[in-house]
Amino acid sequence: MIFENIMHRPIRTLVSILAVAIEVGMVMLVVGMTHGMLHESAKRVEGVGADIMVQPSGASLFLGMTQAPMPVKIADRLAEIPHVLAVAPVLCLLNTQGRVDLIYGIDMASFNSVSGGFVYLHGGPFTGPYSIMVDDLYAKAKDVTVGKTLNFLNHDFHVTGIVMHGKGARLFIPLATAQDLTGSHDKASIFFVRCTDPGYTKDVIESIRSLLPKNQILSIKEYMSLMTSNDVPALNTFVTAMVAVAVGIGFLVIFLSMYTTITERTREIGILKSLGAGKGYIIEVILWEASLLSILGIIAGYAGTWTARKFIIATFPTLPVELTLHWALWAGLLALGGSLLGAFYPAIRAARLDPVDSLAYE
Amino acid sequence: MLLSSIFLTTSANGVQPARHIGSMEPIISTENLKKIYRIGKVDVAALRGVDLSVQEGEFLAVVGPSGCGKSTLLHILGGLTPPTSGKVLVDGNDFSYMKDAERTKFRRHKIGFVFQRYNLLPTLTARDNIAIAQHIQGDGFNPHRFEAVTEMLGIKDKLGHKPYALSGGEQQRVAIARAVVCEPKLLLADEPTGNLDSENSQVVLTMMRTLNRDFRQTILMITHDAEAASVADRIVRMRDGRIIWD
C-alpha cells in the first residue's frame, strides 16, 4: 500500500524526493566545499616543503594573514639556528578585487631552497617586479596563459609562468613588489623553515621559541592538525547554519506533503479504521511512506551531489569538493530524521481522525 | 456451515431468505441504547433508546427513513463510535465500557463492513484491497480463505484490477470479499445496494444471502430498499431514533 500510495501521486512524490535530494546535496556540498577548501589550503601549505611555520602571534592559520608582519631580517637569524637548512620569508596578500585570491609575495631563491623549486608547466620565473606566476588550476579556471596581463591590487601583472599547483598559494609575485604594494617594506607574514632533517623539527622549534617567544611557531604537522573547521573561526557555525537550513527545507516539504496527503486521504484512513486499523498502524503506514520518500530522496541526493561535484570540479578547478562517507551518512541520517519528524504530526493527526467523520469525508 | 439448520423460503425478488433457529446468547444485544451528537451548542439525539437482539447466524435488515438513526446504530454496533448511554453487547463485549483501542481491536477480528460507496482503497488492486484486511488483522495472508471467498463472489478474474476499472457491482463484491475474508462474527452492511442498478443489486443480495446461508454469517443490513430488506430473515423498522417495528 505504501508503494502504491507513492506511485498514486507522482508529482507530489517527485517534489518530495527532490526536496530531500536538495537537502542531502546541500549538506554534502556545503560541508564538502568548506572542508575541501580547508584541507586543500592546508595541503598546499604542506606542499611548500617546510617543516616549521613562523608567524606573528594572532595570525590567521587559514590565510596566513596578519595585521603586523615581521621584519624580514628575522629570516637571517632563523637561518643561523642549528639544523635549519633554509628559511623562506613570504608576505601574504589578499586580493579582493572582483574575487578573493591569496597571493604569496616570495623571494624566489629562498622559496626555492625550502620548496625544492617550482615545476614550470609553461613559461618560467619572474622577469620583473610586476611579474606573476599562477598555478595550473588557477590558469585553467581563469583561462590564463603566459604573456597575459592580470590586474591585481589595482596593478597590472605580466604572467611569466604557469606552475604545478600545491606550493602554498595559487598566485606568486616578487616579495619586494608585495612589500611595496602593502607598504610593508622589509616585512614578511610567514617564515617557512626547512630543517636539515625533519627529525630536528622539535629542537628547531624550541630554539625559535627562545629567539621569538611572542611569535606563533608551529610544525607543519601541527598546522595540518589545526586546519579543521573547529579551528577556523565561525566556520562550524556557518556549516551548522547551512545544515540546519537544509534539514529545515526537507522537514517542511515532507511535513506539507504528508499533511496534504492526510487531508486528501481522509476517507481512506476511515476505511482502514473500519477494517480495524489502530492508531499505531495508521502512524506506521504514514511514517513508512515518509521514510520511503526520504530514502529515495537520499539516493537521488547522493547521485545529484556526485554529479554536482564533477560539474564543480570541471567548471571551477580551484574549488575543491571533499565528499566523505562520514558526511554522506550524516546527510542521509539528517534527511531521514527530518522527514520522519515532518511526517510525525500528520501521522498523529491521521491516527486521531474520527472513523465515522472520515468515512463521510468527500 | 450448518445447512441442515437452514429453513429456506422464497422472497419476492427470488433470493432465498433463511431463518436460523438458535437458543444461544444473542450476538447483538442493546438495551436503551442512546446516542447524542453535539452540533455546535445543540444536542441532537440520533438514537433515543434502542433495544435490539440479534441471534448468531441471523440476517437482519434495518429499514427506515433518512435520519432515523440506522447508520448511527450500525456505527455503534461496529465500534466506530461509542454510545452516549445504554448497553450494547456484541459477541459478549460491552462497547459502553470499551476504549477506542479496544473497540478497534474487536472490530479488526470480529466485524466486517460493507458500505454503500464500496469504500475500496483506490490505489490498491482488488486482490490487495481484500488482502489488506487480513494484513490488518495480523494473522497473515490466508490463501485458502482468500481463494474460497473470491471464488464464491465470482471475482477471481478481477483481482488484478484497481477499483476504477471495476463496475459498481464488481466493486461491491470486492468490498464484501474484504469484509468477510477474516471470517468476522458480524457483517454490517450500510445500504450495500444503494449505488447499484437492479441487476447488480440482485447479485450482491444473492451473495450476501449465500454468505448467510452457506457460511452462517450473521448480517445486519441497513437499507431504504424494501426489496433488498425482504432478503433478510427479519426486518426491523426505525423512526426518530427508535425501533418502531420488529
Side-chain angles (χ1 to χ4, degrees), chain A residues 1 4-5 8 267-268 271-279 281 354-356 359 361-362, chain B residues 75 80-81 100 104 107-108 113 115 117 119-124 128 132-133 135-136 178:
Chain A
M1 182 169 68
E4 280 83 359
N5 283 345
H8 190 61
R267 193 180 181 82
E268 290 169 43
I271 295 167
L272 290 174
K273 289 191 166 218
S274 76
L275 293 172
K279 287 179 179 174
Y281 185 92
D354 180 79
V356 175
L359 286 166
Y361 188 81
E362 294 294 337
Chain B
H75 291 150
L80 291 174
T81 189
D100 179 50
T104 300
R107 188 163 66 240
R108 190 183 306 156
F113 277 100
F115 299 98
R117 291 169 58 184
N119 279 349
L120 297 178
L121 294 165
T123 56
L124 303 185
D128 291 341
I132 198 170
H135 178 68
I136 288 171
R178 182 182 63 185

Side-chain angles (χ1 to χ4, degrees), chain A residues 40-48 62-63 90-94 101-106 111 118 133-138 163-173 190 192 318:
Chain A
E40 196 268 348
S41 170
K43 280 204 144 200
R44 270 192 280 129
V45 170
E46 189 185 29
V48 169
F62 184 48
L63 296 171
V90 170
L91 186 63
C92 297
L93 279 73
L94 202 61
D101 294 304
L102 176 66
I103 305 169
Y104 269 13
I106 58 167
F111 197 83
F118 287 102
M133 300 192 312
V134 304
D135 79 1
D136 55 334
L137 296 180
Y138 188 93
V163 298
M164 180 71 85
H165 63 274
K167 287 203 188 295
R170 298 199 185 284
L171 302 162
F172 303 88
I173 60 172
I190 306 175
F192 286 108
T318 56

